[in-house]
Amino acid sequence: MTPYVVLSALLFSIGVVGVLTRRNAIVVFMCIELMLNAGNLALVAFSKQHGSLDGQVGAFFVMVVAAAEVVVGLAIIMQIFRTRKSADIDDVSALKW
């Protein structure tokens, strides 16, 4: 196992712990991005290990999807903050205005 895969697993674990323990929507959002980047690192590491470009192409598509997710996610969080004056995810669990 390469050090990149170990680093990827560590980053993914930190992201999972952040998603499960934090209540602020922005922090949860950043932890999700950390997990996506950990997945990208694993894809690129395995791609380099096997001498193929498939993992790097997959990582590129994940980055494109993550960029779109950032735009939509931040817009949703901003709208929730404007209406509820809080970014706590427990306030949003009711899904009613």
Side-chain angles (χ1 to χ4, degrees):
M1 197 161 24
T2 66
Y4 296 113
V5 176
V6 173
L7 177 64
S8 172
L10 180 67
L11 289 175
F12 192 84
S13 300
I14 291 171
V16 168
V17 169
V19 166
L20 294 178
T21 59
R22 303 301 298 243
R23 303 279 48 132
N24 189 338
I26 298 292
V27 175
V28 171
F29 194 68
M30 289 186 336
C31 289
I32 291 171
E33 291 295 323
L34 186 64
M35 288 190 295
L36 282 174
N37 287 325
N40 282 341
L41 182 61
L43 282 174
V44 171
F46 284 128
S47 173
K48 183 181 177 201
Q49 185 177 4
H50 295 290
S52 171
L53 289 178
D54 295 341
Q56 295 176 9
V57 172
F60 179 73
F61 284 119
V62 170
M63 285 191 294
V64 170
V65 170
E69 180 229 345
V70 165
V71 170
V72 173
L74 284 179
I76 290 171
I77 291 171
M78 212 165 75
Q79 188 63 32
I80 289 169
F81 184 77
R82 283 183 182 170
T83 57
R84 299 198 184 232
K85 304 295 182 205
S86 171
D88 191 16
I89 57 173
D90 290 333
D91 293 341
V92 191
S93 63
L95 291 181
K96 57 185 176 182
W97 302 98

